[in-house]
Amino acid sequence: MAYKMNNNELIHRIWMFNKNIFQCYRFSIIYFFFLLYIAFRPNGFIFSIPLVINIISVMLLISIIAQIPYKPIKVILNIIIIFFISWSTFFAFEFSDWIWTEAVISILNTDSKEALDMSSTFLLTAIISIAINITLILLSEKEFKKGLPLPITFTIILFLSSFIFMIYRAQSLQLGRGPLIHKILALPSFRIEYSSTIYLTYAAPVLYSNITTLYIAIQEFNNIKNNISNINSRKKPSFLYTDSTTIKNQIERIYLIIGESSNRHHYSLYGYDRPTTPFLDSLNNNSKTFSYYKAISPAPSTAQSILRLLSFSGIQFSSDELRLKSSLGIGIDNHYKTYWISNQPSLGGPENIISTFPTEAENVYYTDSPSLLDPNHSIIKDITLIPEIKRMHDTNKKQFTIIHLFGSHIHYSSKFDNKDEQAIPKITKDNTFNNVDYYDRSIHHTDRVLREIYNLLKGDHNSIAIYISDHGEIVGAGHGFMQQFEDQYSIPLIFFNFTDIDIDNLVKKYKNSEDENFNTVNLCYILAELMGYQVTPERVKFALENSPFVYLPNGEIKRFEDIKNIK
């Protein structure tokens, strides 16, 4: 007579099976759900089968590594996995984001002062991320070493299948809509490239895309670096030309002041409810030498923004653009003495991406600290640049001067002094390095720097100063993330104009009438015209076509109006 199991016994057996599984693999199960959290946090916990398969694949890989008998190989693989997953964990905890190529390129370009500021700000999160992953990976491997829940052969087959699926998913996203068979047949043609890495991040943001992202970022960094040493062979852009009339109308002294991480929504000039820019406010009420506009940066990180700001690339920058002269180079061609004055440190020589522009200048000044270990590395305030600016200013020469401020870069507490503290009283209870009070004080400090430059130039009736920021800022978090785009791109555009030139018409020339913001990717053409160049109609059209677009941290290019409200 056949035994018939009743419902209560069936439930009991299922419960005992699950209990035994949890006892045998409790740390592995905890780690599995932890990794799901890391994968889903950046997308707002919207369910995604590819993300689940990504995490299953990672757990299968860990279980396979646990079976490797040769300890040195196991140690090397564990270090690699711990490094990349800790990196993903850090980004998920701190920024609610995945790791994109542009974020890595920005890290590669981070100078010593910024690196120390950033490390002191995010050190605790980094330590926690590493500690969690070391602990849970090693405990999971210990469980898997005692016994796998599935036979090793089947585990390897499942891992390889999940890996192929993730490549298929990335390839499918890249190809877009089309017959399934075409996408399957296209799998052998998958290559690790800049564009494919974007889609692999969407398909497998934990571990696998981190590895390819680092590889592509280093490759892109080196591609640009290889074009940086060609300063003497760079050519004047063919779309710029001069004649006797334009040369006669040159502005003899042009200043471009580049702020750092300065979100215009925190300027009282633009309607903010704290008096962060009292000097600019006073000019707005009384001066004919002052004008300002709403602007956006072409990218939300310094490296990618400066490359587009000072070259003539447009939004779609490539390393080939460095074969042409920048705004500094064309200034030299038109007999300007060129200067780069910076409160940010020298960037490690000409191999650094951003340093391609300072090395093109004839005169360079940095306020470098004497040592990377100097505890006062970030105490040098922007206002201390003023004596050097005054020293270099010469009304008997044609000069093009770029002033690079430290502005409002994260670790805001080091970007202001006692005068700013008195002017902007503390209104929050937040005492971290990056609270809104400190950020607003750093804006006030920039206002004081601009006041000094205005007063220097106001007696020089053939001079113009332009103030922008390299990009905006998510106050308290930073920049370079796939979220809160309005804050990351919204920057000031301010002119001190002591000439008869019509700045308003010049700005309108390189801004589409339907665009609310001037895109500073086109500021290079305004600088060129101030230097006495004319721009061909075809290039003006190119500039206007670029005007609505911005470069995203994941490498995509989108209309700003389409993404600005994404939170």
Side-chain angles (χ1 to χ4, degrees):
M1 184 175 178
Y3 173 73
K4 186 176 182 180
M5 185 184 301
N6 60 42
N7 289 339
N8 290 336
E9 188 175 355
L10 177 62
I11 292 170
H12 177 72
R13 289 195 177 189
I14 292 172
W15 183 84
M16 289 299 296
F17 174 78
N18 290 334
K19 182 180 179 181
N20 290 336
I21 287 290
F22 185 77
Q23 287 176 343
C24 291
Y25 301 107
R26 60 182 179 275
F27 290 113
S28 303
I29 293 169
I30 290 170
Y31 195 45
F32 173 75
F33 283 103
F34 172 76
L35 291 180
L36 283 178
Y37 174 82
I38 296 306
F40 279 90
R41 179 176 166 84
N43 82 339
F45 299 102
I46 299 171
F47 181 74
S48 167
I49 291 176
L51 296 190
V52 174
I53 292 176
N54 176 198
I55 303 309
I56 291 173
S57 179
V58 171
M59 296 305 299
L60 290 170
L61 178 60
I62 291 171
S63 70
I64 293 169
I65 291 173
Q67 310 309 309
I68 296 175
Y70 191 53
K71 191 172 182 179
I73 294 177
K74 183 186 290 187
V75 169
I76 291 170
L77 291 175
N78 276 335
I79 290 172
I80 293 171
I81 290 175
I82 288 168
F83 171 76
F84 283 107
I85 298 182
S86 297
W87 200 8
S88 283
T89 303
F90 171 79
F91 265 69
F93 279 169
E94 193 67 53
F95 310 124
S96 296
D97 206 355
W98 297 318
I99 299 171
W100 303 98
T101 304
E102 293 314 319
V104 183
I105 292 176
S106 293
I107 291 170
L108 293 175
N109 275 284
T110 298
D111 59 62
S112 57
K113 287 185 181 181
E114 289 186 355
L116 287 170
D117 277 354
M118 296 287 279
S119 63
S120 61
T121 301
F122 301 124
L123 182 61
L124 180 60
T125 306
I127 292 173
I128 291 171
S129 300
I130 294 169
I132 290 174
N133 283 286
I134 288 175
T135 303
L136 290 178
I137 286 176
L138 294 182
L139 289 173
S140 296
E141 285 188 3
K142 186 177 181 181
E143 292 175 342
F144 287 132
K145 191 173 182 179
K146 291 179 180 178
L148 291 173
L150 299 169
I152 183 64
T153 303
F154 191 53
T155 300
I156 293 172
I157 291 172
L158 278 178
F159 168 72
L160 293 175
S161 299
S162 66
F163 193 78
I164 291 170
F165 172 82
M166 287 182 288
I167 294 175
Y168 161 77
R169 179 60 179 167
Q171 182 91 313
S172 178
L173 289 170
Q174 188 170 10
L175 294 175
R177 294 188 177 186
L180 176 63
I181 188 63
H182 290 176
K183 295 179 180 180
I184 294 174
L185 293 174
L187 275 175
S189 65
F190 182 82
R191 298 289 182 272
I192 298 175
E193 298 171 337
Y194 193 100
S195 58
S196 63
T197 300
I198 296 172
Y199 298 103
L200 186 59
T201 302
Y202 285 119
V206 177
L207 183 59
Y208 305 113
S209 71
N210 307 151
I211 296 171
T212 60
T213 293
L214 179 61
Y215 169 75
I216 292 298
I218 293 173
Q219 190 179 69
E220 286 292 308
F221 180 83
N222 289 332
N223 285 342
I224 295 174
K225 183 175 72 175
N226 292 336
N227 283 292
I228 285 177
S229 58
N230 65 348
I231 293 172
N232 294 329
S233 62
R234 291 177 186 174
K235 298 179 179 179
K236 188 182 79 174
S238 60
F239 45 80
L240 299 180
Y241 64 96
T242 58
D243 57 33
S244 58
T245 303
T246 56
I247 291 294
K248 185 179 178 181
N249 292 330
Q250 281 181 321
I251 306 303
E252 294 195 351
R253 278 155 299 282
I254 303 167
Y255 282 76
L256 175 61
I257 306 144
I258 304 175
E260 171 71 51
S261 307
S262 206
N263 182 339
R264 74 163 186 262
H265 297 304
H266 281 256
Y267 282 56
S268 51
L269 177 68
Y270 287 89
Y272 189 50
D273 58 4
R274 299 180 82 178
T276 53
T277 55
F279 173 68
L280 296 177
D281 296 342
S282 70
L283 293 182
N284 187 37
N285 294 328
N286 300 308
S287 179
K288 294 181 180 179
T289 57
F290 172 80
S291 57
Y292 70 103
Y293 304 85
K294 293 179 181 178
I296 52 173
S297 60
S301 62
T302 301
Q304 296 303 325
S305 180
I306 296 293
L307 285 172
R308 289 162 175 77
L309 173 66
L310 296 179
S311 73
F312 292 87
S313 67
I315 291 296
Q316 188 67 62
F317 178 86
S318 74
S319 57
D320 289 342
E321 306 296 341
L322 294 179
R323 296 174 184 174
L324 297 178
K325 293 184 177 182
S326 72
S327 297
L328 285 158
I330 65 166
I332 293 171
D333 281 354
N334 257 11
H335 311 295
Y336 283 84
K337 290 293 183 182
T338 53
Y339 303 80
W340 184 282
I341 303 174
S342 179
N343 193 30
Q344 300 206 20
S346 53
L347 301 166
E351 73 277 2
N352 187 285
I353 289 176
I354 307 173
S355 69
T356 183
F357 300 118
T359 51
E360 203 169 351
E362 297 167 305
N363 304 277
V364 179
Y365 173 84
Y366 291 102
T367 58
D368 278 350
S369 296
S371 167
L372 293 180
L373 300 179
D374 176 10
N376 295 323
H377 68 275
S378 59
I379 302 299
I380 301 174
K381 311 305 179 194
D382 287 336
I383 200 77
T384 62
L385 288 177
I386 297 303
E388 188 64 23
I389 295 169
K390 289 180 177 179
R391 186 185 71 81
M392 292 189 178
H393 182 72
D394 189 342
T395 56
N396 296 315
K397 295 178 181 178
K398 289 199 301 182
Q399 297 178 308
F400 175 44
T401 303
I402 295 179
I403 302 168
H404 195 191
L405 305 180
F406 226 136
S408 302
H409 194 276
I410 203 159
H411 207 304
Y412 314 135
S413 60
S414 64
K415 306 303 185 298
F416 60 86
D417 59 24
N418 291 335
K419 291 183 179 179
D420 307 299
E421 187 173 351
Q422 292 169 8
I424 307 294
K426 191 168 177 55
I427 60 173
T428 70
K429 295 181 179 179
D430 186 353
N431 290 314
T432 61
F433 295 128
N434 299 312
N435 66 61
V436 67
D437 294 312
Y438 293 164
Y439 186 80
D440 289 347
R441 289 170 181 174
S442 72
I443 300 292
H444 185 272
H445 191 82
T446 297
D447 183 71
R448 289 168 55 206
V449 174
L450 295 177
R451 180 188 65 196
E452 295 298 322
I453 295 173
Y454 180 92
N455 288 335
L456 171 65
L457 299 183
K458 68 181 180 181
D460 180 358
H461 299 298
N462 206 336
S463 65
I464 285 180
I466 306 168
Y467 170 70
I468 60 167
S469 180
D470 55 355
H471 50 75
E473 179 85 344
I474 303 172
V475 177
H479 49 269
F481 313 125
M482 289 293 292
Q483 56 183 292
Q484 292 182 242
F485 295 115
E486 171 78 12
D487 286 331
Q488 292 188 80
Y489 289 91
S490 295
I491 60 172
L493 172 61
I494 294 168
F495 290 85
F496 301 154
N497 179 17
F498 302 99
T499 74
D500 294 329
I501 194 167
D502 189 339
I503 287 294
D504 196 53
N505 278 338
L506 196 52
V507 169
K508 289 178 180 177
K509 181 177 179 179
Y510 294 101
K511 172 181 169 293
N512 291 305
S513 57
E514 65 271 20
D515 293 339
E516 180 184 6
N517 299 282
F518 177 88
N519 192 333
T520 53
V521 74
N522 289 337
L523 188 61
C524 54
Y525 302 108
I526 290 180
L527 291 170
E529 292 208 23
L530 294 177
M531 292 176 187
Y533 287 97
Q534 289 196 50
V535 183
T536 63
E538 294 78 15
R539 197 64 182 185
V540 174
K541 181 182 177 183
F542 171 84
L544 292 174
E545 288 170 350
N546 275 260
S547 180
F549 295 94
V550 292
Y551 186 80
L552 301 189
N554 68 354
E556 294 180 286
I557 291 173
K558 299 282 189 182
R559 286 181 176 272
F560 179 68
E561 291 300 316
D562 294 340
I563 57 113
K564 70 176 184 179
N565 294 321
I566 294 176
K567 300 299 183 184

